[in-house]
């Protein structure tokens, strides 16, 4: 298993931000916009809740998910959502630099590091999946999803 690096140059809302929870190194451009909008539709980001409580803590995850707030790159850096913020034109170059720095170290050490850091409780994920399933069964949630799909917000 090799480290995965994400370079965000624009919008990472909902599932886009959940993907960031699954990578090892996150770099954003100064123009990035990040947030979980699921609560607006009566849902929660299942995987995002589990991963981000470990990345940014309970309080910030509650704020980000519960308020459906959109944060800018500077806030994402301050909160630990991303490890670095760079100018848009420098984003790809910086991602390659990080990849080269990681690749310069012994693969066994990096592999072991990733294995230790990526362990999370299957029980946490199972609970989040169960909670999301319950939300999907609620009439209010179904109406909000239908309105979103029909663009009637």
């Amino acid at each position: 298993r090799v480290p995965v690096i994400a370079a965000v140059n624009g919008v990472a809302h909902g599932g886009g931000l959940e993907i960031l929870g699954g990578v090892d190194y996150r770099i954003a451009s100064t123009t990035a916009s990040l947030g979980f909008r699921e609560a607006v539709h009566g849902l929660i980001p299942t995987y995002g809740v589990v991963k981000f409580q470990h990345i940014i803590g309970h309080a910030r995850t509650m704020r980000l998910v519960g308020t459906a707030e959109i944060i800018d790159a500077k806030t994402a850096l301050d909160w630990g959502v991303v490890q670095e913020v760079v100018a848009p034109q420098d984003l790809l170059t910086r991602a390659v630099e990080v990849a080269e720095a990681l690749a310069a170290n012994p693969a066994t050490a990096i592999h072991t590091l990733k294995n230790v850091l990526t362990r999370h409780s299957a029980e946490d994920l199972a609970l989040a999946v169960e909670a999301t399933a319950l939300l999907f069964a609620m009439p209010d949630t179904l109406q909000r999803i239908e309105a979103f799909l029909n663009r009637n917000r």
Side-chain angles (χ1 to χ4, degrees), residues 15-89:
L17 185 52
E18 282 191 280
I19 290 170
L20 291 182
V23 305
D24 304 299
Y25 204 93
R26 298 169 296 279
I27 307 168
S29 77
T30 54
T31 62
S33 165
L34 303 98
F36 288 118
R37 302 289 296 155
E38 287 86 345
V40 171
H41 308 293
L43 297 169
I44 62 170
T46 306
Y47 180 73
V49 169
V50 173
K51 289 302 288 187
F52 277 87
Q53 70 177 331
H54 296 290
I55 295 169
I56 63 173
H58 174 91
R60 287 187 170 145
T61 300
M62 176 61 83
R63 177 176 168 181
L64 194 60
V65 173
T67 67
E69 180 178 357
I70 303 300
I71 60 173
D72 61 15
K74 182 187 179 315
T75 303
L77 179 64
D78 292 344
W79 287 12
V81 174
V82 299
Q83 287 101 320
E84 295 186 42
V85 174
V86 298
Q89 65 273 16

